[in-house]
């Protein structure tokens, strides 16, 4: 598979490489900015080979967020092109020290072997600068177009989208319908910010929006996909609340919610991914005044508040 054009404009050419994690490329006068780099070094080497075949010189990498499947090819590209790497400011240290992701998932302690794997811990790469939403000048030698960085936090704490002309590279702000069904319990760390990001995309005017997991969408198809994503996450919030008919611990919720979503915990890593996702739903309910915590017998329980606030 080669890079596929998305939309050309006076601003630049926009491309993507269809894969388990879509790779974006914004090209101006032979200079290319790569959006995310895949899971491992092999992905980065493939990007380099295809760029050279197309006559592109990679002048920068922008990571929409810092999960391993989006930053794993960074170092291989930097090795061949010597280009700078940019990542969301809040998450930049996760690129420089990817082991932080494993610490993050399991609660801040040293990760053991089953957690320290390529699916959670990518090869390290140096970050030139952290990015915040707003204008981003073209990083090459050419007088290329100014890019726009969009706040799409929720899937991670600092995720950004990258826009050029009429195209938005949306990272993991939402998933394509088939991928959403496969995941069952989509990973998000902040449901309130996730919902705000969906609204931000919904209000935008980009003609083409590309999620990292799923096919590119035009405006006619976008709204339905955003609704499906929002409905699934909010249904999970309701499921979590329903399971709190009696106070219970987080691990109990993982054990009970996964079968409801048609999911089986198959590994230590997937357990912690599900646990973090469900914790985010609990946090959202807590922010809404729906649930509260209680300590009993040296254990942390989640329970419904006395009166549920309607949303």
């Amino acid at each position: 598979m080669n890079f596929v054009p998305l939309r050309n404009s006076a601003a630049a050419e926009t491309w993507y490489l269809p894969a388990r994690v879509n790779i974006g490329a914004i090209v101006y006068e032979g200079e290319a900015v790569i959006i995310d780099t895949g899971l491992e070094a092999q992905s980065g080497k493939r990007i380099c080979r295809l760029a050279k075949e197309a006559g592109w010189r990679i002048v920068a990498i922008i990571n929409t967020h810092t999960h391993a499947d989006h930053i794993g090819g960074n170092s291989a590209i930097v090795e061949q092109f010597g280009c700078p790497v940019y990542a969301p400011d809040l998450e930049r240290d996760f690129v420089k020290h990817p082991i932080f992701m494993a610490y993050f998932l399991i609660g801040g302690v040293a990760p053991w072997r089953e957690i320290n794997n390529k699916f959670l811990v990518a090869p390290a790469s140096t970050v030139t600068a952290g990015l915040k939403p707003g204008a981003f000048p073209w990083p090459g030698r050419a007088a290329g177009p100014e890019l726009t960085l969009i706040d799409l936090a929720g899937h991670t704490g600092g995720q950004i989208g990258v826009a050029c002309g009429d195209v938005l590279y949306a990272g993991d702000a939402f998933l394509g319908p088939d991928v959403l069904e496969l995941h069952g319990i989509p990973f998000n760390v902040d449901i309130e910010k996730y919902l705000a990001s969906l609204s931000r995309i919904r209000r935008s005017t980009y003609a083409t929006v590309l999620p990292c997991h799923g096919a590119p969408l035009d405006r006619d198809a976008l709204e339905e996909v955003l609704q499906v994503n929002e409905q699934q996450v909010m249904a999970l919030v309701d499921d979590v609340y329903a399971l709190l008919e009696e106070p219970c611990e987080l691990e109990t919720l993982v054990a009970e919610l996964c079968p409801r979503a048609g999911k089986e915990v198959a590994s230590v890593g997937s357990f912690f991914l599900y646990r973090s996702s469900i914790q985010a739903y609990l946090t959202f309910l807590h922010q809404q005044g729906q649930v509260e915590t209680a300590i009993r017998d040296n254990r942390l329980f989640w329970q419904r508040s006395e009166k549920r606030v309607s949303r």
Side-chain angles (χ1 to χ4, degrees):
M1 182 69 72
N2 211 329
F3 277 93
V4 175
L6 284 171
R7 179 179 294 267
N8 294 340
S9 67
E13 301 171 6
T14 51
W15 303 74
Y16 84 107
L17 179 61
R20 291 185 66 180
V21 178
N22 293 326
I23 310 300
I26 301 172
V27 182
Y28 181 82
E29 294 187 358
E31 295 185 340
V33 174
I34 300 299
I35 315 297
D36 292 327
T37 62
L39 178 62
E40 53 194 338
Q42 191 60 36
S43 174
K45 292 176 182 177
R46 180 187 180 203
I47 293 166
C48 290
R49 176 177 59 81
L50 293 174
K52 291 174 181 177
E53 290 175 358
W56 301 345
R57 183 172 66 88
I58 297 175
V59 296
I61 296 167
I62 297 178
N63 297 133
T64 59
H65 61 290
T66 56
H67 286 162
D69 60 337
H70 293 256
I71 68 173
N74 285 5
S75 57
I77 297 174
V78 172
E79 182 178 347
Q80 293 197 39
F81 284 92
C83 59
V85 176
Y86 301 92
D89 189 58
L90 184 65
E91 304 178 30
R92 58 186 298 181
D93 287 341
F94 283 72
V95 181
K96 185 178 179 180
H97 304 289
I99 194 67
F100 284 172
M101 182 56 67
Y103 277 80
F104 171 83
L105 275 176
I106 65 176
V109 300
W112 56 97
R113 185 180 66 249
E114 288 87 351
I115 298 298
N116 191 356
N117 61 65
K118 71 177 184 179
F119 299 104
L120 297 176
V121 181
S125 56
T126 300
V127 178
T128 300
L131 300 178
K132 296 183 179 180
F136 181 73
W138 186 255
R141 297 174 185 171
E146 185 176 78
L147 308 181
T148 303
L149 308 178
I150 311 296
D151 177 5
L152 294 181
H155 177 65
T156 64
Q159 180 176 245
I160 56 171
V162 182
C164 179
D166 289 333
V167 174
L168 172 64
Y169 297 90
D172 286 355
F174 65 92
L175 302 173
D178 293 344
V179 183
L180 183 66
E181 182 177 355
L182 179 66
H183 278 241
I185 303 176
F187 183 89
N188 293 292
V189 301
D190 190 318
I191 303 304
E192 186 173 1
K193 289 183 177 179
Y194 161 84
L195 295 172
S197 291
L198 292 187
S199 295
R200 199 167 290 118
I201 294 171
R202 183 176 284 120
R203 295 194 307 268
S204 73
T205 58
Y206 299 107
T208 302
V209 177
L210 178 71
C212 279
H213 302 281
L217 299 165
D218 60 23
R219 295 304 306 185
D220 291 337
L222 178 63
E223 175 57 29
E224 181 179 354
V225 173
L226 294 178
Q227 285 183 7
V228 169
N229 275 258
E230 182 175 342
Q231 288 167 0
Q232 180 150 334
V233 167
M234 294 312 297
L236 286 164
V237 171
D238 289 339
D239 285 344
V240 169
Y241 184 83
L243 289 170
L244 293 176
E245 186 173 356
E246 297 292 335
C248 62
E249 296 171 278
L250 176 56
E251 282 72 14
T252 301
L253 289 171
V254 175
E256 295 188 4
L257 186 63
C258 283
R260 284 194 178 202
K263 297 289 107 180
E264 179 90 15
V265 176
S267 67
V268 174
S270 64
F271 169 80
F272 281 103
L273 289 168
Y274 287 134
R275 191 182 76 159
S276 295
S277 299
I278 294 167
Q279 178 71 73
Y281 303 136
L282 287 166
T283 298
F284 179 73
L285 285 164
H286 193 281
Q287 291 168 334
Q288 300 296 312
Q290 313 296 317
V291 303
E292 58 193 16
T293 58
I295 301 291
R296 300 192 190 98
D297 300 323
N298 304 311
R299 298 155 65 188
L300 176 67
F301 288 85
W302 289 87
Q303 60 191 28
R304 296 180 184 179
S305 301
E306 290 187 6
K307 182 178 180 181
R308 189 178 191 193
V309 181
S310 60
R311 10 178 200 92

